[in-house]
Amino acid sequence: MSKASTITRFRSLESLARKFRRDLKGVQRRKKTSQRKGTTPVAGNDFVLVFAHNGVGKTRLSMEFKNLGKSEEKRDTLYFNAFTEDLFDWDNDLDEDKDRRIKFKAESHFFDGLDGMGIEDQIRPLLHQYADFDFRINYAAAEIRFYRDVTISGVRRRLEDIKISRGEENIFIWCFFLAILQLAIEAEKGQPYDWVKYVYIDDPISSLDEQNTIAVAAGLGSLLKREDNNLKVVVSTHHGLFFNVMFNELTGKRTPEGKDNIRKKAYILHRLNEAQTYTLEDTGESPFLHHVAALEELRAVAKSGKISQYHFNSLRSILEKTATFFGRQHISTCFEGLPKKSLYARFLNVRSHAKYSVFESESITATDKKMFREILDTFLERYAFRLASTGASTARVSHPATTGTP
């Protein structure tokens, strides 16, 4: 059983930002002994995850974190937030409505050293997971133009200088950022973005549907878990699904053969009334009573049929936590005594190792969905969680020989 969460108060966003830097960097904690006073090091974390509703101050918090790393011309934080999106502006050719383009603020450090780096070739494979348009970057003019290849009456044509939608624009800027993040991860001394020590990402998925949200979170998690990534990262969001997917993605080892587990902290941030006083709740290993909220979500998607890869992984995660709570080592023990015990475990082990994709629902067969429903129904019948129709806040689980709350 995970330990109870702790709640700490902060009087300003700056003090919160300093807390996150300590979480990532590590601290020297005082240690008293019978012989002498001394200190003992507390290791830093790889990641900090923060959930907070809109209006709490997440964007301002990200800027406070960034400002703590600035001194004269030096800086240490690459960030993505609403200010990043504001670096890109449309010039829509209001007279002729033909010469449409996005202008970008080339004077920002965000774009330092990009010309000649071939970043377009890093953006495209990311972008084409979500969209069917393409682009050209003109660094001299500080502008980006978009085009799309279409087939009309059997003839392939290229539509130049198209206006993309707001959602497509957000996806493009996000992929632009991810490409820069890749450069920062790989940067050697003297190369662009070698100054990046910390990354702060705030709400990258404000206008995405659920399926794209899962794909974006999984893609980000995969990038951050790269073995060569030595950057310390904060991710804040108001989106519960995004938070939970990131929490699950950044768990365990970076690679199956890795030695050390990922170190992370996960928090829920509140602002008390309209005062500039904040509370930070350490969620431990179960954000939002995660097992209960996740089961409610799984029951809903099983009924709707909109089952995605994330839901297989989520179900497996819940089975692992349940088995651990009852002192067992494997998910198959959740179905002890049932004739399909091994089949259920084998199915989830195989299916939960599939890759996330924005097109993932197309690869999940009707047979897979039927088996998902069967496993979920069997689990809920055996373990009597009390689930509300709109999301439970409490639950109880019963085992044939034990009762408790995992």
Side-chain angles (χ1 to χ4, degrees):
M1 184 182 302
S2 59
K3 63 182 180 181
S5 62
T6 58
I7 299 176
T8 310
R9 289 197 178 198
F10 295 84
R11 293 183 179 275
S12 68
L13 290 173
E14 181 183 347
S15 60
L16 264 171
R18 291 187 185 278
K19 157 69 173 172
F20 292 162
R21 282 184 173 259
R22 290 194 300 272
D23 281 345
L24 294 170
K25 187 177 181 180
V27 296
Q28 291 289 331
R29 181 175 294 167
R30 292 183 178 179
K31 181 181 180 181
K32 295 182 179 180
T33 68
S34 58
Q35 303 297 322
R36 59 183 176 82
K37 294 182 180 179
T39 61
T40 183
V42 177
N45 292 275
D46 304 303
F47 308 107
V48 171
L49 304 179
V50 184
F51 176 86
H53 294 293
N54 283 331
V56 170
K58 296 188 307 299
T59 301
R60 288 181 290 127
L61 176 57
S62 67
M63 299 308 285
E64 291 286 356
F65 186 98
K66 180 263 298 184
N67 289 337
L68 288 174
K70 286 184 64 176
S71 59
E72 298 180 352
E73 291 300 312
K74 294 183 179 180
R75 57 199 185 284
D76 66 9
T77 304
L78 175 70
Y79 63 89
F80 180 93
N81 59 21
F83 289 99
T84 308
E85 295 176 330
D86 289 344
L87 296 175
F88 300 82
D89 293 313
W90 275 103
D91 182 352
N92 283 327
D93 183 17
L94 298 179
D95 294 329
E96 299 293 331
D97 193 26
K98 294 179 180 179
D99 189 23
R100 311 178 193 94
R101 57 201 170 176
I102 279 182
K103 303 288 289 184
F104 61 89
K105 297 177 174 58
E107 66 275 13
S108 168
H109 290 305
F110 185 76
F111 302 103
D112 279 357
L114 281 186
D115 193 2
M117 290 290 292
I119 196 171
E120 296 90 335
D121 293 334
Q122 292 182 278
I123 296 174
R124 282 193 178 92
L126 298 167
L127 178 65
H128 290 165
Q129 295 179 63
Y130 311 101
D132 63 352
F133 61 87
D134 215 321
F135 65 96
R136 301 184 189 90
I137 302 177
N138 183 330
Y139 292 97
E143 66 181 29
I144 305 166
R145 295 175 182 265
F146 300 93
Y147 62 90
R148 179 181 279 116
D149 292 327
V150 298
T151 300
I152 302 177
S153 301
V155 179
R156 195 69 172 166
R157 292 182 52 194
R158 175 161 292 180
L159 305 180
E160 298 281 1
D161 298 339
I162 63 172
K163 167 73 170 173
I164 60 176
S165 71
R166 179 59 59 87
E168 290 172 327
E169 178 188 349
N170 291 342
I171 282 290
F172 173 77
I173 296 172
W174 172 242
C175 292
F176 202 118
F177 170 79
L178 287 181
I180 290 178
L181 178 54
Q182 288 179 356
L183 293 178
I185 290 173
E186 298 165 2
E188 297 180 0
K189 190 170 182 178
Q191 293 182 330
Y193 303 100
D194 66 343
W195 50 269
V196 179
K197 302 296 184 293
Y198 298 95
V199 179
Y200 200 119
I201 299 171
D202 176 52
D203 267 342
I205 47 83
S206 56
S207 60
L208 296 183
D209 58 27
E210 178 176 300
Q211 188 168 311
N212 279 338
T213 295
I214 293 169
V216 166
L220 176 60
S222 183
L223 175 60
L224 295 180
K225 287 168 66 174
R226 280 175 44 167
E227 277 194 294
D228 60 342
N229 177 26
N230 296 313
L231 306 179
K232 303 286 191 174
V233 183
V234 182
V235 180
S236 59
T237 181
H238 74 283
H239 198 292
L241 177 59
F242 183 81
F243 181 83
N244 283 328
V245 176
M246 288 301 303
F247 187 95
N248 287 335
E249 286 294 308
L250 300 178
T251 298
K253 296 177 173 59
R254 290 182 183 268
T255 61
E257 63 276 6
K259 295 181 179 179
D260 299 323
N261 284 328
I262 291 170
R263 296 178 61 88
K264 73 172 183 288
K265 300 290 288 185
Y267 297 109
I268 301 175
L269 174 63
H270 296 280
R271 186 173 69 178
L272 302 180
N273 299 320
E274 295 184 1
Q276 295 302 306
T277 302
Y278 304 87
T279 63
L280 195 65
E281 180 179 359
D282 188 334
T283 69
E285 291 300 318
S286 298
F288 308 144
L289 287 174
H290 177 63
H291 54 297
V292 179
L295 280 171
E296 184 64 45
E297 178 188 346
L298 295 183
R299 189 172 68 169
V301 299
K303 183 177 181 180
S304 70
K306 296 179 179 179
I307 301 169
S308 68
Q309 177 58 41
Y310 164 69
H311 298 120
F312 288 91
N313 293 60
S314 181
L315 178 55
R316 188 180 191 279
S317 177
I318 291 170
L319 294 181
E320 289 174 339
K321 287 181 171 60
T322 303
T324 299
F325 175 74
F326 290 118
R328 311 298 178 86
Q329 299 298 317
H330 194 269
I331 61 174
S332 63
T333 60
C334 293
F335 305 107
E336 199 69 57
L338 298 181
K340 291 187 177 181
K341 165 188 169 182
S342 297
L343 175 61
Y344 290 162
R346 192 180 310 116
F347 174 83
L348 281 178
N349 282 333
V350 172
R351 202 60 183 80
S352 62
H353 283 89
K355 296 292 185 182
Y356 289 96
S357 167
V358 70
F359 303 113
E360 62 193 351
S361 60
E362 298 176 8
S363 64
I364 297 175
T365 66
T367 301
D368 287 346
K369 292 182 179 181
K370 181 180 179 181
M371 180 61 79
F372 176 89
R373 294 188 184 95
E374 182 177 332
I375 295 173
L376 177 62
D377 289 345
T378 302
F379 178 75
L380 290 177
E381 182 177 349
R382 168 167 278 205
Y383 298 91
F385 286 89
R386 291 200 296 268
L387 303 180
S389 60
T390 58
S393 58
T394 61
R396 188 173 67 86
V397 60
S398 62
H399 185 272
T402 315
T403 300
T405 305

